[in-house]
C-alpha cells in the first residue's frame, strides 16, 4: 500500500496537470493570439469561444496545487518556495486575465482590458514554462526544505521553456479557433496554427537535445539499453502526430488539428515524465519521499474516485451545451 | 533595512485573504438570492423576477471573477509563504482543501458558465437549476474552508509525531469543536451582507424613482431576510463566543481586553489596551458586563490575559478594536432591519425617505463586519498558526524577507487596480438598472464617459 499509493497519486496529479495544460492552455492561447486580431469585434468573437469554459479550465490548476498539497505535502513545500517569484507572477497574471473577461465587457473601453488579457495570458504561460524548466533542471534541497536562492529558476533553459510554453499554448489556442470559430478569425487561425506548430517543434527538439546533454540522469534514462528499444517510439509518434497536425490544417479540417495539438502536448508531457520519474522534485525527492500519510492519501483518493466522474460529467455537459462554432459578430454576454 | 520574513509573510497573507473574503461574503449570499429569484420566476412567471435575476447575475459575474482569481492565489500561498506549515499539517488540511476543489470549485465554475451564457441556449428550468447549483457550490466551498480554518483554531482528531500531524478520525477533524459555530456564523454573515446590498440597491432605485417595482421587490426581500438574520446572528455570535471561551480563552480575553482573571470582567465600551503595562487606559465600561455576557452571571470569572506569558498573547488592541467594530455594525444591522420591518408593517416603508436614503448608503456595512470578525478570530489565534501547537513564526517558507516585501508591493498594486475597477463597474451596472429594454441600453451604455480609460474607447482597432 505504501508503495502503490504514491504511484496512484502521481497518476492523479499527472492527470490534473495534463487536463490543466490542455484546457487552460487553449484559453491562455486565445490571449496570446489576441494581439493579432484586427478589431475588438473579432476579439469579442474569440473570447466568446472560451467564455463559458475558462473558469472551469482554471480550476484544474487549483486541483493540481491542492492535489500536490494533499498527496505530496513535502514536494509542495519545496516547489512553491523554490519558484516563489514565478508562481506569484503567474498568479497575478492570471488575476488580470481572469477579471479581463468580465471587465472588458462591462467597460466600453475594451482595448485597455484586451491588453490586460494579452499580458496576463502571455505572462502566465511564460511563468509556467519557467517553472517547468526549473523543475527539469532540478531543485536544491537540504533536510527536506528548499535550500536555493530566490532567482535559481532564472536560467537560459528556464527562459527557453517559458518561450516554448507560449508557443505551445499559442498552438492550442489557434487550433481551438480553427475548430470553434467562423469567418476571418478561423482563416487567420490556420496560418497561426502552422507558425506555432513550427515553433513548438523547434522548442521540443531543443529541449529534447538540451536535457540529455545537461543532465546525465536523463541521458541515461533514454539512451541506455534496453530503455532505448522501448522508448524510441515516443519521438517517432511525436513526429507522426506533428505531421498529421500540419496535414489537417492544410486540408482545412476543423477538429483534427486541435486534437493533434493535444496529442502533441501529451507526448511532450510523457517525455518529461519518462525523463524524470520517479522524481517529483528532481533530482533528490521521489514520489515516495514526499508522500502524505497513507490514511490521508486514501481518504482523498476515495473522494476523487467517487467525485471525479461527476465532475467530468458536468464538464462534458457544458462543452456539449456550448457546442458548435461561434459566428462572426457574436460577443460576450 | 532588515526585512522580517515572518511579519511580511503575515502581512502579505492578511492582505490577500482580506481582499479575497470580500467577494465570497457577497457571492455566497448573492448566488442564493439569484437562485431564489429564479425559483420565484419559474413559479409565478412574473417578468420582474426574471429581470431582477439577470440584473444580479451580471453583478455576480464581476464579483465572482474577482473572488475566483484572488482565491487561486490563496491556494498557492500556503506553499509559497507557509511551507513549513504545509509540511506539518498537509496530512490533515490537504484533503479538506482537495475536497473543496472536487465538491465545490468545479461545480461552481462549470454551472456558472451556464448561468452567464446559457439563458438563450438552455430551458428555463436548467437555467434556474444552474443558479441553484452555483449557490449550493458556494455553500459547500464555505463548508470545507471553514472546517480547515476551524481545525487551525481548535485542532482535533489527529496526533502529532515529530512535528507532523497525522489524521486519526476524519469526522472529528472536520467537525472539530469550533467548526459548527464558525460555519453558521460566517454563512449567516454572508447572507446578511448580501441582504444589505440588496436593500441598498432597492432603496437607491426608489429614491431615484426608477425601476420602482423591482426596487420595492428588492427592499421587501432584503428587509424580510435581514429582520430574521440580523437578530439570529446575535444569537449565533453569542454561542460562538461561548465556544471560543471554552477552547481559546485567551482570544476571548483579548476581545474583551480582560487582563486579570481573578476579578469579574467589565465590558469596555471603549478602552486603550496597554500591552506593555498589561492594563487598559481610558476605560469606559459597564461593570461586570463581559462576565454577564460570557458566563451568564455577574460575578463569573474567566481567564485574563495576564494568566499567560506575554509571548503567548495575541495582539490585544487589534483584536479588541476589531471586535468592537463588528459589534457596532451588528447592532446597527439589527436596528436598521427591525426599523425597516416596522415601517413595512405600518405600510410606510417605501415613503420614508430618510430611511431609504440611509439604507442606500449602507451597502458596504456587512463587508466591514465580515472583515472585522475575521481579524478578531485570526489575530486572536496568534501567536499560534495551529492553536496551542504550532507557532506562526515556525511556519514560514525559506524565502528572504525582501522577496516577500517585493511581492507584497505587487499584490497591493495589482489588487488596488482590480478592486477600484471592480467596484466602479459594479456600481455602474447597478446604476444602469435591471431594465434591459433598448432605451435603457442606449442611455446607460456610456460607462466610459467618466472612465479614466475612456479616451481609448475608439482605439479598439488592433492593440498592437
Amino acid at each position: 500500500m505504501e508503495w502503490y499509493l504514491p504511484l496512484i497519486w502521481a497518476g492523479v496529479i499527472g492527470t490534473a496537470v495534463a487536463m490543466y495544460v490542455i484546457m487552460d492552455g487553449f484559453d491562455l492561447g486565445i490571449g496570446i493570439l489576441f494581439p493579432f486580431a484586427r478589431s475588438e469585434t473579432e476579439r469579442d468573437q474569440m473570447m466568446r469561444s472560451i467564455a463559458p469554459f475558462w473558469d472551469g479550465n482554471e480550476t484544474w490548476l487549483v486541483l493540481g496545487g491542492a492535489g500536490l498539497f494533499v498527496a505530496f505535502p513535502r514536494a509542495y513545500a519545496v516547489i512553491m518556495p523554490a519558484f516563489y517569484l514565478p508562481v506569484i507572477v503567474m498568479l497575478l497574471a492570471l488575476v488580470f486575465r481572469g477579471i479581463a473577461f468580465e471587465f472588458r465587457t462591462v467597460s466600453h473601453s475594451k482595448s485597455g482590458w484586451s491588453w490586460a488579457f494579452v499580458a496576463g495570458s502571455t505572462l502566465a504561460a511564460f511563468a509556467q514554462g519557467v517553472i517547468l524548466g526549473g523543475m527539469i533542471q532540478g531543485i536544491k534541497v537540504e533536510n527536506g526544505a528548499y535550500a536555493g536562492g530566490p532567482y535559481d529558476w532564472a536560467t537560459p533553459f528556464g527562459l527557453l521553456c517559458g518561450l516554448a510554453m507560449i508557443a505551445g499554448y499559442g498552438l492550442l489556442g489557434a487550433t481551438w479557433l480553427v475548430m470553434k470559430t467562423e469567418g476571418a478569425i478561423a482563416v487567420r487561425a490556420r496560418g497561426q496554427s502552422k507558425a506555432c506548430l513550427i515553433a513548438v517543434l523547434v522548442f521540443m527538439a531543443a529541449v529534447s537535445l538540451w536535457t540529455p546533454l545537461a543532465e546525465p540522469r536523463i541521458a541515461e534514462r533514454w539512451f541506455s539499453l534496453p530503455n532505448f528499444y522501448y522508448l524510441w517510439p515516443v519521438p517517432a509518434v511525436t513526429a507522426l502526430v506533428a505531421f498529421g497536425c500540419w496535414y489537417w490544417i492544410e486540408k482545412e479540417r476543423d477538429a483534427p488539428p486541435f486534437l493533434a495539438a493535444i496529442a502533441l502536448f501529451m507526448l511532450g508531457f510523457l517525455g518529461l515524465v519518462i525523463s524524470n520519474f520517479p522524481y517529483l522534485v528532481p533530482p533528490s525527492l521521489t514520489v515516495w519521499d514526499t508522500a502524505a500519510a497513507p490514511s490521508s492519501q486514501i481518504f482523498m483518493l476515495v473522494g476523487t474516485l467517487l467525485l471525479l466522474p461527476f465532475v467530468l460529467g458536468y464538464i462534458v455537459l457544458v462543452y456539449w451545451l456550448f457546442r458548435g462554432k461561434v459566428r462572426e459578430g457574436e460577443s460576450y454576454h | 533595512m532588515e526585512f522580517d520574513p515572518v511579519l511580511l509573510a503575515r502581512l502579505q497573507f492578511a492582505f490577500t485573504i482580506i481582499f479575497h473574503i470580500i467577494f465570497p461574503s457577497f457571492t455566497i449570499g448573492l448566488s442564493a438570492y439569484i437562485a431564489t429569484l429564479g425559483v420565484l420566476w419559474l413559479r409565478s412567471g412574473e417578468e420582474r423576477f426574471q429581470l431582477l435575476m439577470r440584473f444580479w447575475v451580471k453583478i455576480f459575474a464581476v464579483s465572482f471573477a474577482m473572488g475566483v482569481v484572488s482565491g487561486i492565489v490563496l491556494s498557492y500561498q500556503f506553499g509559497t509563504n507557509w511551507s513549513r506549515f504545509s509540511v506539518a499539517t498537509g496530512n490533515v488540511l490537504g484533503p479538506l482543501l482537495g475536497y473543496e476543489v472536487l465538491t465545490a470549485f468545479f461545480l461552481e465554475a462549470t454551472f456558472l458558465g451556464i448561468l452567464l451564457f446559457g439563458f438563450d441556449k438552455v430551458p428555463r428550468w436548467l437555467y434556474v437549476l444552474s443558479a441553484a447549483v452555483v449557490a449550493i457550490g458556494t455553500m459547500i466551498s464555505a463548508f470545507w474552508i471553514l472546517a480547515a480554518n476551524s481545525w487551525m483554531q481548535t485542532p482535533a482528531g489527529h496526533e502529532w509525531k515529530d512535528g507532523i500531524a497525522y489524521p486519526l478520525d476524519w469526522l472529528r477533524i472536520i467537525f472539530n469543536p469550533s467548526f459548527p459555530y464558525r460555519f453558521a456564523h460566517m454563512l449567516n454573515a454572508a447572507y446578511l451582507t448580501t441582504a444589505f446590498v440588496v436593500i441598498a440597491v432597492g432603496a437607491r432605485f426608489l429614491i431615484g424613482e426608477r425601476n420602482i417595482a423591482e426596487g420595492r421587490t428588492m427592499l421587501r426581500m432584503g428587509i424580510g431576510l435581514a429582520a430574521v438574520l440580523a437578530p439570529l446572528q446575535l444569537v449565533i455570535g453569542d454561542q460562538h463566543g461561548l465556544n471560543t471561551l471554552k477552547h481559546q480563552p485567551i482570544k476571548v480575553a483579548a476581545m474583551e481586553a480582560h487582563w486579570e482573571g481573578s476579578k469579574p470582567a467589565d465590558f469596555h465600551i471603549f478602552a486603550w489596551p496597554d500591552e506593555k503595562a498589561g492594563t487598559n487606559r481610558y476605560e469606559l465600561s459597564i461593570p461586570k458586563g463581559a462576565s454577564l455576557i460570557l458566563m451568564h452571571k455577574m460575578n463569573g470569572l474567566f481567564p485574563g490575559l495576564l494568566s499567560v506569558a506575554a509571548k503567548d498573547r495575541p495582539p490585544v488592541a487589534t483584536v479588541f478594536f476589531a471586535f468592537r467594530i463588528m459589534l457596532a455594525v451588528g447592532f446597527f444591522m439589527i436596528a436598521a432591519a427591525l426599523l425597516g420591518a416596522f415601517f413595512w408593517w405600518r405600510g410606510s416603508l417605501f415613503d420614508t425617505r430618510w430611511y431609504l436614503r440611509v439604507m442606500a448608503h449602507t451597502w458596504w456595512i456587512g463587508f466591514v463586519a465580515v472583515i472585522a470578525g475575521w481579524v478578531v478570530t485570526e489575530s486572536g489565534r496568534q501567536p499560534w498558526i495551529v492553536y496551542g501547537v504550532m507557532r506562526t513564526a515556525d511556519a514560514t517558507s525559506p524565502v528572504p524577507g525582501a522577496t516577500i516585501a517585493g511581492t507584497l508591493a505587487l499584490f497591493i498594486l495589482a489588487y488596488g487596480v482590480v478592486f477600484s475597477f471592480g467596484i466602479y463597474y459594479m456600481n455602474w451596472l447597478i446604476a444602469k438598472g435591471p431594465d434591459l429594454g433598448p432605451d435603457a441600453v442606449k442611455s446607460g451604455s456610456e460607462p466610459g464617459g467618466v472612465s479614466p480609460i475612456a479616451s481609448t474607447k475608439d482605439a479598439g482597432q488592433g492593440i498592437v
Side-chain angles (χ1 to χ4, degrees), chain B residues 155-389:
Chain B
H158 65 284
E159 60 175 346
W160 289 90
K161 276 188 278 185
D162 304 323
I164 289 178
Y166 290 86
L168 292 175
D169 180 345
W170 286 104
L171 279 177
R172 281 181 58 214
I173 288 171
I174 296 166
F175 296 95
N176 61 73
S178 65
F179 170 65
Y181 300 94
R182 187 168 285 103
F183 184 49
H185 201 41
M186 177 62 200
L187 217 54
N188 200 37
Y191 295 135
L192 204 47
T193 299
T194 308
F196 271 78
V197 176
V198 171
I199 291 171
V201 172
R204 191 169 155 178
F205 285 169
L206 291 188
I207 292 169
E209 296 186 356
R210 47 191 292 260
N211 300 108
I212 302 285
E214 289 83 11
R216 288 184 171 184
T217 304
M218 281 194 275
L219 211 58
R220 275 196 294 258
M221 289 177 85
I223 284 176
L225 191 66
V228 177
L229 295 189
L232 178 66
Q233 187 73 325
L234 185 66
V235 176
I236 299 174
D238 174 57
Q239 293 300 309
H240 191 6
L242 296 180
N243 176 266
T244 309
L245 181 64
K246 191 169 163 198
H247 296 281
Q248 298 174 297
I250 298 305
K251 183 194 279 186
V252 171
M255 285 157 71
E256 301 294 358
H258 175 51
W259 296 91
E260 294 198 30
S262 57
K263 295 182 218 158
D266 299 343
F267 181 84
H268 309 300
I269 298 164
F270 182 85
W272 189 266
D274 184 337
E275 295 179 41
K276 284 218 176 70
T279 183
N280 297 327
R281 308 202 182 282
Y282 318 114
E283 277 182 13
L284 172 66
S285 311
I286 301 169
K288 304 186 181 180
S291 282
L292 188 64
I293 293 167
L294 285 154
M295 308 303 292
H296 294 180
K297 56 180 178 231
M298 292 286 276
N299 289 317
L301 298 179
F302 63 92
L305 286 158
L306 295 176
S307 67
V308 294
K311 70 174 174 57
D312 292 339
R313 289 177 208 153
V316 181
T318 312
V319 178
F320 175 79
F321 285 115
F323 183 54
R324 255 131 210 88
I325 293 170
M326 185 185 79
L327 282 185
V329 172
F331 282 110
F332 173 86
M333 286 177 142
I334 293 174
L338 293 183
L339 197 60
F342 173 74
F343 288 138
W344 186 4
W345 173 64
R346 290 276 304 271
S348 59
L349 177 61
F350 305 130
D351 308 314
T352 315
R353 304 294 283 185
W354 69 266
Y355 178 77
L356 294 180
R357 246 182 229 116
V358 170
M359 295 316 287
H361 285 99
T362 48
W363 60 269
W364 46 272
I365 199 142
F367 299 100
V368 171
V370 167
I371 292 172
W374 276 108
V375 170
V376 170
T377 202
E378 297 296 272
S379 298
R381 191 191 60 221
Q382 305 300 331
W384 307 99
I385 194 163
V386 182
Y387 195 74
V389 191

Side-chain angles (χ1 to χ4, degrees), chain A residues 34-41 43 48 51-67 69-70 73-74 76-78 80-85 87-92 94-99 102-115 118 144-148 150-151 291-304 307-308 311 314-315 317-318 321-323 330 332-333, chain B residues 12 58 61-62 64-66 68-70 72-81 83-87 89-99 101-114 116-118 121-122 126 144 164-167 170 174 397-400 403-404 407 410-411 413-415 417-419 421-423 425-426 428-429 445-448 451 453-457 459-464:
Chain A
F34 235 43
F36 304 102
R38 294 290 145 83
S39 66
E40 291 298 332
T41 318
R43 291 192 186 103
R48 186 68 168 87
F53 315 119
W54 77 271
D55 194 353
N57 293 347
E58 215 161 283
T59 307
W60 290 98
L61 181 67
V62 186
L63 184 64
F69 183 35
V70 176
R74 290 183 190 83
Y76 178 77
V78 169
M80 295 303 150
F83 300 107
Y84 187 86
L85 287 172
V87 166
I88 302 267
V89 165
M90 173 190 81
L91 295 171
L92 283 171
L94 290 176
V95 165
F96 274 97
R97 82 176 275 284
I99 54 152
E102 295 304 325
F103 286 11
R104 194 176 162 278
T105 14
V106 182
S107 160
H108 263 243
S109 47
K110 287 188 173 177
S111 63
W113 289 111
S114 291
W115 265 115
V118 173
Y146 178 58
Y151 295 100
S295 58
S296 302
Q297 289 196 330
I298 291 171
F299 176 59
M300 193 66 225
L301 192 62
V302 171
T304 307
L307 293 164
L308 210 52
V311 170
Y314 55 70
I315 287 176
L317 169 75
V318 165
L321 281 174
F322 296 96
R323 66 194 176 279
E330 238 181 289
Y332 196 63
H333 280 298
Chain B
Q12 193 190 87
K58 280 167 186 265
V62 174
F64 194 81
M66 292 197 276
V68 166
V69 294
S70 59
I72 294 176
V73 170
L74 292 177
S75 71
Y76 278 80
Q77 269 183 322
F78 292 126
T80 53
N81 287 15
S83 68
R84 286 188 287 168
F85 166 74
S86 303
V87 171
T89 62
N91 290 330
V92 171
L93 293 184
L96 304 188
L97 301 185
Y99 270 101
V101 180
L102 282 173
T103 56
F105 289 168
F106 278 113
L107 202 65
E108 296 170 68
T110 312
F111 284 89
L112 181 73
I114 302 179
L116 295 188
F117 304 102
K121 284 200 192 289
V122 301
L126 181 54
W144 290 109
I164 289 178
Y166 290 86
W170 286 104
I174 296 166
S397 298
V399 175
T403 313
I404 308 174
T407 51
L410 275 180
F411 272 118
L413 199 71
Y415 282 14
V417 170
V418 169
F419 190 76
F421 277 103
I423 291 286
Y425 291 140
M426 278 196 261
W428 175 74
L429 283 170
S445 64
E446 294 290 338
S451 156
I453 46 175
S455 52
T456 58
K457 201 164 76 176
Q461 303 286 335
I463 52 174
V464 165

